[in-house]
Amino acid sequence: MSKTSSGNFFEDYRVGQTIAHAVPRTVTEGDRALYTALFPTRFAFYSSDEFARASGLARSPIEDLAAFHVVFGKTVPDISLNAVANLGYAEARFLAPVYPGDTLNSVSEVIGLRENSNGASGVVWVRSTGFNQHGAPVLSYVRWVMVRKRDRAAVAPEPVVPNLAPALTAADLAIPAGLDFSSYDFALAGEPHRWGDYQVGERIDHVDRVTIEEAEHMIATRLWQNTAKVHFDATLREDGRRLIYGGHVISLARALSFNGLANAQIVAGINAGAHANPCFAGETVGAWSEVLEKAETAAPGVGALRLRLVAVTGGTQDYALRGADGKYLPGVLLDLDYWALVPR
């Protein structure tokens, strides 16, 4: 009897199935340092304990997306080890800050299944929740992933496609306890722009560009203990290229957004997200944002911006997203709709 696991395939899932994922992960200041080394992130809230204390927290948490990657990475061996591609996200709520020293674990529930017409794969929807060492939820999100079938002849389950909210409302957002931007130091944060300076429909070219290196994206993916084969094993693709983890592109785009959105300090929720096209090492990535919505919050000095963050390959930004056929243009890598907390 084999003691190794080849992971789950599409026919192994059932709607309503709950999976408690293995290997809890304690996050440390080392995670913060390596995250900063891998991405050009400079948000003051996550760089300085003193800045975070002045904003009402006990100290600086790790970046919201770093916590997301840890929780996500725990799910990979059970959900997407045999993935063709991770397709999208919805209803992601960051429920509590994650601090160095916290231990995270993940649990997922299968909420949807649909076999693809080619009979070789299917789409699996899961709602995953990350918990800290006290059993308190810190993050919850839905994602859907295309997973290979082990046996093309296996009978497909009846399709179940979950009905997901198109977007979170500002009332759905969990504001960190004690958060207070009323004495916010704009000089230390790096930009003077506050909530009232942004207008719905405004677009921002974040100017900076970064070329992704092969070693960097694999180091980042290993940091989150993400074991999806397509990120490491070049023999799994006909073109012999390793697919870059979509979360790597999300973190890179978020870091690039600092130039123009330096005060969008906290990612509070993700409404929707699509990895529009695959990304490979050697590609140069830029980003632009569009302001979709503005909302007030009950926290002192804190407003919320709903933002579209788009990662693209190439140089000059023209804000193009889709072609005449409604499909994403080839140079679009990421289309992410999220809420950020900013000073008012």
Side-chain angles (χ1 to χ4, degrees):
M1 180 178 178
S2 174
K3 292 183 172 60
T4 60
S5 171
S6 57
N8 292 320
F9 292 83
F10 178 74
E11 59 264 43
D12 297 324
Y13 297 102
R14 298 291 180 270
V15 172
Q17 179 181 5
T18 298
I19 304 171
H21 305 292
V23 191
R25 171 85 146 72
T26 301
V27 297
T28 69
E29 288 291 353
D31 290 286
R32 189 200 307 276
L34 191 48
Y35 188 90
T36 304
L38 290 164
F39 307 104
T41 184
R42 291 180 286 159
F43 294 96
F45 194 76
Y46 301 102
S47 299
S48 165
D49 282 342
E50 294 306 316
F51 193 95
R53 289 190 186 104
S55 300
L57 272 66
R59 56 179 170 144
S60 177
I62 68 167
E63 294 224 16
D64 309 293
L65 290 178
F68 173 85
H69 294 317
V70 172
V71 171
F72 183 103
K74 299 295 94 190
T75 73
V76 169
D78 299 309
I79 304 300
S80 49
L81 192 65
N82 294 301
V84 178
N86 193 54
L87 300 177
Y89 311 92
E91 298 183 0
R93 300 175 66 231
F94 294 83
L95 301 170
V98 174
Y99 295 97
D102 282 348
T103 297
L104 304 182
N105 67 284
S106 305
V107 176
S108 295
E109 179 187 1
V110 179
I111 60 173
L113 294 169
R114 186 187 65 203
E115 186 179 53
N116 289 328
S117 58
N118 62 12
S121 61
V123 179
V124 181
W125 283 263
V126 295
R127 186 182 300 277
S128 298
T129 304
F131 298 89
N132 64 19
Q133 67 273 24
H134 306 296
V138 299
L139 168 66
S140 175
Y141 66 93
V142 173
R143 72 162 168 143
W144 48 105
V145 58
M146 188 185 304
V147 180
R148 294 180 178 87
K149 290 183 70 176
R150 178 188 294 106
D151 178 6
R152 292 186 63 145
V155 177
E158 287 295 317
V160 175
V161 177
N163 183 23
L164 301 173
L168 301 169
T169 68
D172 294 324
L173 305 179
I175 309 298
L179 187 68
D180 183 345
F181 282 163
S182 56
S183 299
Y184 189 90
D185 191 323
F186 289 88
L188 289 180
E191 285 182 353
H193 317 302
R194 62 179 71 224
W195 182 82
D197 296 325
Y198 294 94
Q199 304 302 319
V200 173
E202 179 180 359
R203 289 174 173 174
I204 305 163
D205 180 358
H206 297 301
V207 180
D208 302 310
R209 307 286 185 264
V210 171
T211 301
I212 295 181
E213 303 293 344
E214 195 81 85
E216 288 177 342
H217 88 83
M218 288 194 292
I219 289 171
T221 308
R222 290 191 185 105
L223 177 63
W224 320 123
Q225 297 177 326
N226 181 333
T227 56
K229 301 173 185 178
V230 291
H231 304 317
F232 304 104
D233 187 347
T235 67
L236 289 179
R237 292 180 55 90
E238 291 182 0
D239 59 10
R241 306 174 79 183
R242 300 173 185 88
L243 183 68
I244 288 176
Y245 164 44
H248 188 80
V249 179
I250 294 175
S251 280
L252 180 56
R254 161 70 173 162
L256 291 173
S257 75
F258 179 91
N259 193 344
L261 283 167
N263 295 316
Q265 292 287 354
I266 298 172
V267 176
I270 296 174
N271 303 300
H275 297 293
N277 285 288
C279 183
F280 302 98
E283 294 184 354
T284 298
V285 178
W288 58 270
S289 292
E290 180 181 3
V291 181
L292 300 178
E293 188 177 345
K294 297 174 64 175
E296 299 179 359
T297 80
V302 179
L305 292 179
R306 183 181 168 194
L307 301 163
R308 161 174 269 161
L309 176 61
V310 179
V312 296
T313 59
T316 303
Q317 195 57 258
D318 60 5
Y319 304 111
L321 190 64
R322 298 178 185 268
D325 59 0
K327 296 181 179 179
Y328 285 108
L329 294 170
V332 176
L333 301 176
L334 171 72
D335 183 8
L336 187 72
D337 177 339
Y338 74 104
W339 283 100
L341 302 182
V342 301
R344 295 184 62 190

